[in-house]
Amino acid sequence: LQEFYLELRRDHQSHDGTPITTRQLESMVRLAEARAKLELREEVTELDARDVVELMKLSLVDTMMDEFGNLDLSRSHMGSGMSQRNAGKRLISTLQREGERMCKNIFHVDEIKNIARMAKIPGDKVYELICSLNNQGFLVKKSSKIYQLLSLDC
């Protein structure tokens, strides 16, 4: 765990990326302990630690892998970080409310931009947010500028 943590800190320190702090190490320790308890053991084994490292790698890869296969921690700002998740929740919630009001679940990009403005989401982040919500399966791209909100049936 310590080797993986130190590798992350060494290879991915940047002023604009997500900082790698001792919280990540502490989380990995807790996960390894939980895995040992799951198997009714009091001591953490090397296998527990390896599984936790693999889990961390998979979770990092999901949102922070660049097109060359390298971890790019600066991607977390709008990849799936807290600010994006909160903006995504606000947009989906506002789309849901407006869709129910208008009895529709198909939206043009311009409508989504207007609804995003209602949700106080910066205009320069809307397209990136739409792409992220499409990748996550909340919005389905029907054509070049048309999206369907899956959580609403009309």
PDB file of all heavy atoms in Angstrom, residues 7 120 150:
ATOM      1  N   GLU A   7       4.200   5.987  -5.014  1.00  0.00           N
ATOM      2  CA  GLU A   7       4.266   6.074  -6.481  1.00  0.00           C
ATOM      3  C   GLU A   7       3.268   7.110  -6.998  1.00  0.00           C
ATOM      4  O   GLU A   7       3.595   7.928  -7.863  1.00  0.00           O
ATOM      5  CB  GLU A   7       3.980   4.705  -7.083  1.00  0.00           C
ATOM      6  CG  GLU A   7       3.990   4.676  -8.589  1.00  0.00           C
ATOM      7  CD  GLU A   7       3.587   3.312  -9.132  1.00  0.00           C
ATOM      8  OE1 GLU A   7       3.952   2.286  -8.523  1.00  0.00           O
ATOM      9  OE2 GLU A   7       2.897   3.286 -10.172  1.00  0.00           O
ATOM     10  N   LYS A 120     -27.732  27.131 -12.522  1.00  0.00           N
ATOM     11  CA  LYS A 120     -26.528  27.892 -12.155  1.00  0.00           C
ATOM     12  C   LYS A 120     -25.234  27.140 -12.458  1.00  0.00           C
ATOM     13  O   LYS A 120     -24.297  27.145 -11.669  1.00  0.00           O
ATOM     14  CB  LYS A 120     -26.590  28.345 -10.702  1.00  0.00           C
ATOM     15  CG  LYS A 120     -27.798  29.201 -10.392  1.00  0.00           C
ATOM     16  CD  LYS A 120     -27.671  29.922  -9.094  1.00  0.00           C
ATOM     17  CE  LYS A 120     -28.864  30.757  -8.714  1.00  0.00           C
ATOM     18  NZ  LYS A 120     -29.783  31.211  -9.655  1.00  0.00           N
ATOM     19  N   LEU A 150     -32.985   9.627 -19.516  1.00  0.00           N
ATOM     20  CA  LEU A 150     -33.487   8.273 -19.279  1.00  0.00           C
ATOM     21  C   LEU A 150     -34.316   8.146 -18.008  1.00  0.00           C
ATOM     22  O   LEU A 150     -35.117   7.226 -17.885  1.00  0.00           O
ATOM     23  CB  LEU A 150     -32.332   7.277 -19.250  1.00  0.00           C
ATOM     24  CG  LEU A 150     -31.663   7.019 -20.589  1.00  0.00           C
ATOM     25  CD1 LEU A 150     -30.569   5.968 -20.424  1.00  0.00           C
ATOM     26  CD2 LEU A 150     -32.666   6.580 -21.620  1.00  0.00           C
TER      27      LEU A 150
END
